[in-house]
Amino acid sequence: ALEDKIVGLQTGADDYIPKPFNMTELKARTANLIGQRKRLRERFSREITLEPGEISITPLDEQFLKRAIETVEKHMQDENFDLPEFREKMLMSRSTLSRKLHALTNQSPTEFIRTIRLKRAASLLKQNFGNVTEVSMEVGFRNLSYFNKSFKKLFGVTPAEYVKST
């Protein structure tokens, strides 16, 4: 029934295809959903700042991603903000949070948190917020060598090299 379809879509279903379904339609919708997720992953991985509204995803996915980013940003300076606390703030189980983040960003929750922190660090470095040590502290990295290593892995250059190139 139409009501069932609406309820399914409102509770997070990506699409709804009633039975009996046409195999060509099913393949087309599936390809479309996979393409949207792939574009989202690519966009997330290359953008320094991410605005969920700029990406073609479902409204529920957009809300989820925006809430996840906001949650990490609220705890940006807290070096002890970790996966259990992130799951608690997101009101999700470990497996659900992992599955959803991986589908949208191709990252685990821990990688997602680290990426948001590093992208904020890149933004702060670009704005001449302070030196590398101050920026690393501002985004919750207390170990400078780990910050440098993680930054280089994500951006291909050290934070100092990044500052010089901007």
Side-chain angles (χ1 to χ4, degrees), residues 26 40 53 55 82 85 93 101 114 146 158 166:
L26 178 63
L40 174 63
I55 303 166
D82 58 3
E85 191 173 351
S93 70
L101 276 176
R114 184 173 45 248
Y146 178 65
T158 65
T166 57

Side-chain angles (χ1 to χ4, degrees), residues 76-166:
M76 188 67 67
Q77 292 180 322
D78 182 2
E79 68 179 285
N80 297 315
F81 182 71
D82 58 3
L83 187 53
E85 191 173 351
F86 184 43
R87 287 193 318 254
E88 182 181 315
K89 300 290 183 192
M90 292 297 293
L91 304 173
M92 299 179 90
S93 70
R94 179 188 56 80
S95 59
T96 302
L97 180 62
S98 294
R99 188 172 40 253
K100 189 75 169 172
L101 276 176
H102 193 270
L104 294 172
T105 66
N106 204 28
Q107 293 182 327
S108 71
T110 302
E111 291 169 324
F112 177 81
I113 293 168
R114 184 173 45 248
T115 299
I116 296 296
R117 288 177 187 239
L118 291 170
K119 287 181 178 184
R120 175 63 51 149
S123 177
L124 291 172
L125 289 168
K126 191 179 265 189
Q127 297 169 24
N128 295 316
F129 174 82
N131 64 35
V132 174
T133 303
E134 292 168 337
V135 169
S136 73
M137 296 292 195
E138 184 69 19
V139 297
F141 284 88
R142 299 300 180 248
N143 183 327
L144 188 58
S145 65
Y146 178 65
F147 172 73
N148 285 327
K149 178 181 161 188
S150 299
F151 193 95
K152 185 169 184 170
K153 184 177 179 182
L154 183 63
F155 295 106
V157 293
T158 65
E161 293 168 337
Y162 184 83
V163 169
K164 289 178 187 174
S165 70
T166 57

